[in-house]
Amino acid sequence: MTNETADLDQLEHAAIAIIREAYATLRPLAMLWSMGKDSTALLWLVRKALYGEVPFPLVQLDTELELDEVYAFRDRLAREWALDLRVELCPPEAEMDPTLPPATRAAARKTEGLKNYLQRENAQGIIVGIRRDEQATRAKERIFSPRSVGGTWDVRAQPPELWGYYATDVPHGAHVRVHPLLHWTELDVWRYTQRETIPYVDLYLARGGMRYRSLGERNITVPIRSDAASLDEIIAELAATREPERAGRVMDNESEDSFERLRAAGYM
């Protein structure tokens, strides 16, 4: 067994244990699915953890601005894997905080869409496919992250996670975000996707010298320069690059605290 295989096995075992803990302790439970590489790898892990089933709703926060290939991928996988897909339409941008920069205001629609879902369904747990290495603010997260009744996140009030003990008790109306991929890296996700032959949106592969490294809506995401046209080439590229994963996310470049303000308000 190679070190790479052992590392992926260890990450997989830990993620499956987290998913089973969430399923055993948090009801109602749901999972967010953006159709990107991370949440699709997480969906694969959920099916492994729960014996081929996804026994809770899979929620897509829809701004109706995803790329066409992303919607086609969603519909194909939902049909082939018999998923309980719930499409939650997000409120319009005109209702967002006007003091936010433009792209950040557009992204905030998903925060409000999630709040609407939580209030209507009274979900106690939401499984989300974020990773610590994506962005500095996400590096401060917990695996089981309590959120207030309003869905906000107070980074200074997070409970410690010692000896595998997670906080799952929340007040009525509040919820817990569950992050099984928190310790994974972007490279881990692609190596695991390749090993398990997990489906993915082909926009990640380079066409004409450009590809999407991070998939978001068409109004706030742009492709990056790349010649990586296969999974082998993506993995080789990531092993060598020093460019940040979210270089194509417009809101990350609007102001220093854009993403931090979004996350404090309840963004993923």
Side-chain angles (χ1 to χ4, degrees):
M1 180 183 293
T2 66
N3 289 339
E4 182 183 309
T5 300
D7 289 347
L8 288 180
D9 285 344
Q10 189 172 14
L11 288 168
E12 180 188 68
H13 295 163
I16 285 175
I18 292 164
I19 292 164
R20 288 176 175 167
E21 176 74 7
Y23 185 58
T25 57
L26 297 169
R27 301 290 178 88
L29 181 66
M31 174 180 155
L32 297 185
W33 185 36
S34 69
M35 292 77 75
K37 62 186 185 305
D38 302 310
S39 64
T40 303
L42 179 55
L43 179 56
W44 181 272
L45 284 160
V46 167
R47 296 171 80 234
K48 269 198 168 186
L50 302 174
Y51 310 104
E53 301 288 333
V54 183
F56 41 75
L58 199 61
V59 181
Q60 186 225 336
L61 303 173
D62 193 10
T63 59
E64 299 182 301
L65 289 171
E66 302 290 351
L67 295 156
D68 292 343
E69 293 88 340
V70 174
Y71 283 121
F73 179 77
R74 177 196 70 182
D75 294 342
R76 177 173 69 82
L77 220 58
R79 182 176 62 253
E80 292 178 356
W81 288 3
L83 301 171
D84 179 9
L85 176 65
R86 313 286 178 89
V87 177
E88 181 75 28
L89 285 178
C90 298
E93 191 174 328
E95 296 180 11
M96 301 301 109
D97 180 355
T99 68
L100 291 170
T104 307
R105 192 162 60 245
R109 295 179 62 197
K110 290 197 171 182
T111 304
E112 299 307 313
L114 177 57
K115 286 180 181 177
N116 289 344
Y117 177 83
L118 290 167
Q119 289 170 5
R120 190 179 62 251
E121 303 296 335
N122 295 314
Q124 273 207 327
I126 295 289
I127 300 176
V128 185
I130 67 165
R131 295 178 284 103
R132 278 194 168 128
D133 74 323
E134 285 178 279
Q135 209 274 345
T137 306
R138 284 178 171 163
K140 302 172 185 175
E141 270 287 3
R142 295 285 192 269
I143 293 174
F144 281 64
S145 178
R147 301 303 167 107
S148 73
V149 172
T152 57
W153 178 53
D154 184 351
V155 65
R156 290 165 296 189
Q158 297 186 103
E161 294 186 325
L162 303 175
W163 304 293
Y165 172 79
Y166 302 121
T168 56
D169 292 330
V170 292
H172 178 71
H175 72 282
V176 176
R177 302 277 177 91
V178 183
H179 305 129
L181 300 185
L182 201 58
H183 296 308
W184 293 51
T185 66
E186 183 184 12
L187 193 53
D188 292 330
V189 170
W190 280 121
R191 284 175 172 157
Y192 188 69
T193 296
Q194 184 182 53
R195 187 183 86 169
E196 302 284 310
T197 63
I198 301 171
Y200 58 90
V201 180
D202 64 6
L203 291 170
Y204 286 113
L205 304 179
R207 302 173 187 168
M210 304 291 285
R211 76 177 185 90
Y212 286 89
R213 186 169 163 190
S214 178
L215 272 182
E217 297 101 309
R218 69 185 73 187
N219 57 331
I220 56 173
T221 312
V222 295
I224 60 164
R225 291 189 182 281
S226 171
D227 293 319
S230 68
L231 290 193
D232 282 334
E233 290 174 350
I234 288 177
I235 290 167
E237 180 184 83
L238 293 180
T241 187
R242 299 178 69 85
E243 289 294 317
E245 178 179 356
R246 293 176 60 89
R249 295 294 188 120
V250 177
M251 66 180 175
D252 287 25
N253 303 310
E254 283 188 318
S255 71
E256 188 175 340
D257 66 344
S258 287
F259 200 65
E260 192 167 348
R261 289 179 67 186
L262 271 181
R263 297 219 75 237
Y267 190 75
M268 289 60 69

